[in-house]
Amino acid sequence: MSPAGKHETHVGEYIAYRRSLGFKFTDTDGDTLARFGRYADRIGHAGPVTIDLAVGWAKSTGGDVPIRWARRLDFVRGFARYRSLFDPGTEIPPPGLLGPSCYKRKPPHIYSDGEVAELMKAASGIRTSNGLRPRTYATLFGLLACTGLRVSEAMALNDSDVNLETGVLTVRWSKFGRSRLVPLHRSAVSALLEYRKFRDSLMPGGAAGAFLVTEGGARLLYHHARGTFKRLRVKLGWTESGRARRPRIHDLRHTFAVRSIQSWYREGANVDQRIAALATYLGHVNVTKTYWYLTGVPELMALVGDRFERFALSQPRGGEC
């Protein structure tokens, strides 16, 4: 392997610096920036980072995809800020130079109670040799609907993580590397007890560590769940027509969050206080991720507008004492 060039070496120093400060810098992010360094070295760029260099690399990816160019430029922008500390001639690409770097987030589909019931019924009707497969999927979909877990978190649950005596799930190393405890409603505890009892009756030796398993006793995997959900969606005739989008498994998590917030508005509760608890329950690292529901979901935007209107009408008008 040939030694790294000047720019690739600078990229490595930047990544090490960021990580030393405690910032999360994934291997994928590091590989992306390393490609920029190699690109600069390969074309023989001898001076500091420039806007032309950064834009040239950002656009060197295959295809005419502006949003991909903008994302690649975002990586270089942070690196350029760092290099400007050592080389005053460094040029920092301004934000938005190649357009927006993220897609406009489409509102999720919020399931009605009837749709959740239809999905559970369809899952329970899956044909199987020993009856475990329909129970596994009905349990998975029901668990997502009543806890708001991520699909990956539900499938990663080990049997030891599901404490049905205390009614608490232990979610380990979720999306952002944090563990958390998720308390369950007593109705969920009863359903999970029934599933565990039936599963164990078919597997006297016990499952292979996982809570949700296939008929062979292996851990349920995402591509299994995704494929099964798609087939059930077709069977149920669920399309995008008349909905914010075509229903997805992950929308069960969104539905849990939205229904929780809706119930607080109906109760007249202090949403700001409770939304912080919801963020922790859902495993959001930043509470702003949870506040997104208030502006990104039509069902909640209407409630927010109504509450603000009542507040505005309750205030003294100008000139009144």
Side-chain angles (χ1 to χ4, degrees):
M1 180 180 294
S2 59
K6 180 185 76 170
H7 293 288
E8 187 177 1
T9 299
H10 289 165
V11 166
E13 293 169 352
Y14 168 66
I15 293 172
Y17 170 71
R18 292 276 294 180
R19 286 175 171 160
S20 71
L21 295 178
F23 289 97
K24 187 176 181 180
F25 210 98
T26 68
D27 291 339
T28 301
D29 294 344
D31 290 342
T32 300
L33 261 181
R35 286 196 291 272
F36 167 72
R38 289 193 291 270
Y39 168 85
D41 291 328
R42 186 173 65 251
I43 66 173
H45 185 82
V49 174
T50 65
I51 292 177
D52 285 344
L53 173 68
V55 170
W57 173 75
K59 288 187 169 184
S60 67
T61 184
D64 184 5
V65 188
I67 196 168
R68 186 182 301 168
W69 299 343
R71 286 179 174 177
R72 284 160 65 91
L73 194 62
D74 282 347
F75 281 99
V76 182
R77 185 175 299 111
F79 172 61
R81 290 195 190 99
Y82 167 79
R83 285 303 306 162
S84 68
L85 300 174
F86 305 94
D87 192 336
T90 301
E91 297 176 357
I92 303 172
L97 180 62
L98 294 180
S101 59
C102 60
Y103 294 100
K104 184 178 180 181
R105 190 171 182 180
K106 193 174 182 179
H109 171 69
I110 304 303
Y111 287 90
S112 67
D113 291 343
E115 286 175 327
V116 173
E118 289 176 5
L119 178 61
M120 298 280 287
K121 183 178 179 180
S124 298
I126 295 174
R127 294 185 179 182
T128 180
S129 60
N130 62 9
L132 181 57
R133 188 163 179 260
R135 288 178 181 252
T136 294
Y137 281 107
T139 301
L140 170 64
F141 298 143
L143 184 61
L144 297 177
C146 73
T147 62
L149 290 180
R150 299 179 178 93
V151 184
S152 58
E153 293 172 344
M155 293 188 294
L157 288 171
N158 290 323
D159 203 52
S160 58
D161 295 329
V162 183
N163 189 328
L164 299 181
E165 292 184 3
T166 60
V168 175
L169 302 178
T170 300
V171 179
R172 304 182 189 277
W173 303 107
S174 61
K175 183 176 180 180
F176 297 99
R178 296 184 177 185
S179 300
R180 69 184 190 279
L181 300 178
V182 177
L184 298 167
H185 189 271
R186 59 179 177 274
S187 60
V189 171
S190 297
L192 296 181
L193 276 170
E194 289 182 12
Y195 172 73
R196 176 182 276 166
K197 182 178 180 181
F198 183 82
R199 183 201 65 191
D200 291 349
S201 70
L202 299 177
M203 301 174 186
F211 182 73
L212 295 169
V213 298
T214 65
E215 291 187 339
R219 184 182 299 276
L220 190 66
L221 300 178
Y222 179 70
H223 71 272
H224 297 148
R226 181 178 59 185
T228 297
F229 177 83
K230 285 183 176 180
R231 288 189 289 274
L232 293 177
R233 184 173 61 193
V234 171
K235 180 180 179 180
L236 291 166
W238 288 352
T239 65
E240 190 172 352
S241 178
R243 298 179 169 91
R245 69 183 305 155
R246 188 169 57 175
R248 306 166 301 166
I249 301 179
H250 194 65
D251 288 327
L252 290 167
R253 173 176 167 84
H254 293 312
T255 300
F256 173 84
V258 169
R259 297 299 183 218
S260 297
I261 298 172
Q262 281 179 322
S263 68
W264 299 336
Y265 273 105
R266 286 195 296 268
E267 296 168 6
N270 187 322
V271 175
D272 288 328
Q273 288 182 352
R274 295 197 179 183
I275 210 165
L278 179 62
T280 301
Y281 189 89
L282 291 173
H284 287 164
V285 173
N286 194 318
V287 75
T288 57
K289 299 291 185 182
T290 318
Y291 270 110
W292 171 80
Y293 288 107
L294 299 181
T295 58
V297 179
E299 290 90 339
L300 290 178
M301 288 179 67
L303 288 173
V304 172
D306 288 344
R307 176 171 285 195
F308 179 76
E309 184 177 3
R310 291 196 300 271
F311 167 77
L313 291 174
S314 69
Q315 301 305 298
R317 296 184 180 181
E320 294 183 356
C321 297

